[in-house]
């Protein structure tokens, strides 16, 4: 359907094989339940995914999809996260991506529970563990990244890893607010996403951009800004997160900017409707788009 519409597509089928109910082995969790409840739970399937896809079948399916669609879309290797894949599977995913010249995408440090699980089972953060097994690199993007440590931030910036910030999903699920301003200040590249779980089910990416900007205005004692009167993320920075940094997350250096040599991958907004009822011509165009743009202002989508 995406291809029939002429839209660009990056597709990341998920590799996942463990800890489907809780942060722990499935058999241990099921053994804790009363027999009747255990039977009901087993009959309903895994709590989050409904299906496991271990490394062997996963890479077979990935190769089939790549053979059929790879000349028209970008295929990504996507282990769901360190808690849902074994170390062997993570290593295989990195090797497969290297062999195919593909990008890697996974969840990382989304919730405080994930952080605690990593510290208890790995005796280090998820990011430290991924660095230790040689998983991190410039072809890697991490979804969420709400609970990075100072050392995690250094590691990710040094390895050229992109963090994909999903502000409304993190609020809806109670995961927290990622200190994006601090990440950017430390040299990390941060893109913007939705994770498919927004606050209103509308998947309005313009709302996501505004929320990302406003959340960074909340004072933080853990990651205080250099300027105590900071107004959060500049509008241009948010636009870069939504465009060029999103392209960098999947090594798409030819899109995301309006300049010679880049692809015409564009959303055209109607300036007249955008400026109604009143807009002073001297307003910063980046701030204007961030503050006022709505789906109704969209005139055309171009993907060439």
């Amino acid at each position: 359907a995406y291809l029939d519409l002429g839209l660009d597509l990056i597709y990341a089928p998920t590799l996942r094989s463990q800890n489907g109910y809780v942060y722990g082995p499935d058999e241990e969790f099921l053994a804790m339940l009363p027999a009747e409840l255990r039977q009901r739970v087993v009959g309903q399937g895994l709590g989050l995914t409904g299906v496991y896809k271990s490394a062997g079948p996963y890479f077979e399916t990935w190769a089939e999809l790549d053979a059929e669609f790879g000349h028209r879309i970008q295929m990504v290797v996507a282990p769901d996260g360190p808690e849902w894949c074994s170390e062997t599977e993570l290593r295989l995913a990195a090797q497969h991506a290297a062999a195919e010249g593909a990008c890697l995408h996974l969840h990382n440090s989304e919730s405080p529970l994930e952080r605690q699980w990593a510290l208890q089972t790995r005796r280090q953060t998820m990011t430290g563990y991924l660095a230790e097994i040689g998983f991190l690199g410039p072809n890697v993007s991490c979804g969420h990244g709400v609970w990075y440590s100072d050392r995690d931030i250094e590691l990710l910036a040094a390895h050229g890893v992109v963090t994909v910030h999903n502000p409304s999903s993190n609020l809806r699920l109670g995961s927290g607010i990622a200190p994006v301003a601090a990440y950017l200040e430390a040299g990390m590249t941060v893109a913007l996403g939705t994770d498919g779980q927004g606050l209103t089910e509308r998947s309005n990416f313009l709302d996501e951009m505004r929320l990302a900007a406003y959340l960074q205005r909340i004072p933080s004692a853990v990651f205080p800004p250099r300027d105590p009167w900071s107004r959060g993320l500049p509008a241009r920075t948010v636009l870069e997160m939504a465009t060029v940094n999103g392209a960098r997350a999947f090594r798409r250096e030819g899109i995301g900017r309006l300049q010679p040599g880049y692809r015409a991958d564009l959303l055209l907004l109607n300036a007249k409707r955008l400026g109604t009822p009143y807009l002073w011509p001297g307003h910063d165009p980046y701030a204007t788009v961030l503050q006022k743009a709505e789906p109704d202002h969209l005139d055309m989508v171009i993907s060439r």
Side-chain angles (χ1 to χ4, degrees):
Y2 280 104
L3 295 175
D4 289 344
L5 288 169
L7 296 179
D8 200 355
L9 178 64
I10 299 173
Y11 185 54
T14 301
L15 168 63
R16 182 177 184 144
S17 67
Q18 64 184 26
N19 300 348
Y21 298 105
V22 297
Y23 292 114
D26 298 331
E27 59 277 9
E28 291 184 9
F29 170 73
L30 292 172
M32 295 168 55
L33 302 179
E36 182 179 351
L37 180 56
R38 183 188 314 131
Q39 189 174 5
R40 285 178 55 195
V41 171
V42 171
Q44 291 175 354
L46 297 173
L48 294 178
T49 64
V51 65
Y52 277 157
K53 183 74 79 169
S54 56
Y58 174 82
F59 291 121
E60 290 176 8
T61 301
W62 198 97
E64 292 171 0
L65 290 168
D66 188 51
E68 184 173 358
F69 298 109
H71 64 293
R72 299 176 67 189
I73 70 175
Q74 180 178 351
M75 291 289 296
V76 172
V77 179
D80 211 356
E83 66 271 49
W84 296 305
C85 297
S86 68
E87 180 177 326
T88 297
E89 288 167 339
L90 291 170
R91 290 181 181 273
L92 286 172
Q95 293 168 11
H96 186 85
E100 297 293 334
C103 291
L104 288 155
H105 180 75
L106 80 169
H107 288 68
N108 185 5
S109 306
E110 178 178 1
S111 73
L113 291 175
E114 289 181 24
R115 175 178 172 82
Q116 191 64 23
W117 176 86
L119 295 174
Q120 287 181 346
T121 61
R122 299 287 184 254
R123 299 295 185 267
Q124 57 187 328
T125 64
M126 284 186 177
T127 300
Y129 166 62
L130 291 170
E132 184 178 89
I133 66 174
F135 188 91
L136 301 181
N139 67 328
V140 176
S141 59
C142 295
H144 302 291
V146 181
W147 294 90
Y148 292 149
S149 68
D150 289 337
R151 178 56 177 158
D152 291 344
I153 297 170
E154 294 174 2
L155 285 170
L156 293 166
H159 284 87
V161 175
V162 176
T163 290
V164 182
H165 177 45
N166 304 289
S168 67
S169 171
N170 295 152
L171 290 180
R172 178 171 181 164
L173 299 175
S175 298
I177 300 172
V180 171
Y183 296 169
L184 293 169
E185 190 174 283
M188 187 192 302
T189 300
V190 182
L192 190 63
T194 65
D195 196 37
Q197 285 288 343
L199 290 173
T200 64
E201 304 288 357
R202 295 197 306 158
S203 295
N204 184 337
F205 199 68
L206 296 166
D207 282 347
E208 203 79 24
M209 293 164 61
R210 282 186 277 270
L211 184 62
Y214 296 155
L215 286 176
Q216 298 308 302
R217 296 182 178 185
I218 298 174
S220 170
V222 180
F223 292 99
R226 288 183 180 176
D227 178 6
W229 300 103
S230 171
R231 296 292 290 165
L233 299 177
R236 178 166 181 159
T237 297
V238 178
L239 265 291
E240 288 176 345
M241 289 168 58
T243 55
V244 65
N245 288 2
R248 286 175 181 165
F250 298 100
R251 306 180 84 175
R252 303 287 288 273
E253 298 296 339
I255 62 174
R257 294 187 183 278
L258 295 175
Q259 68 182 55
Y262 275 59
R263 287 177 51 193
D265 197 77
L266 312 171
L267 302 176
L268 302 185
L269 298 170
N270 187 300
K272 186 174 182 179
R273 294 203 302 272
L274 182 65
T276 301
Y278 173 77
L279 181 68
W280 179 53
H283 280 158
D284 172 48
Y286 294 102
T288 298
V289 171
L290 181 64
Q291 300 285 354
K292 292 180 62 68
E294 295 290 348
D296 290 346
H297 301 145
L298 184 63
D299 264 355
M300 187 180 297
V301 178
I302 300 175
S303 181
R304 298 176 62 92

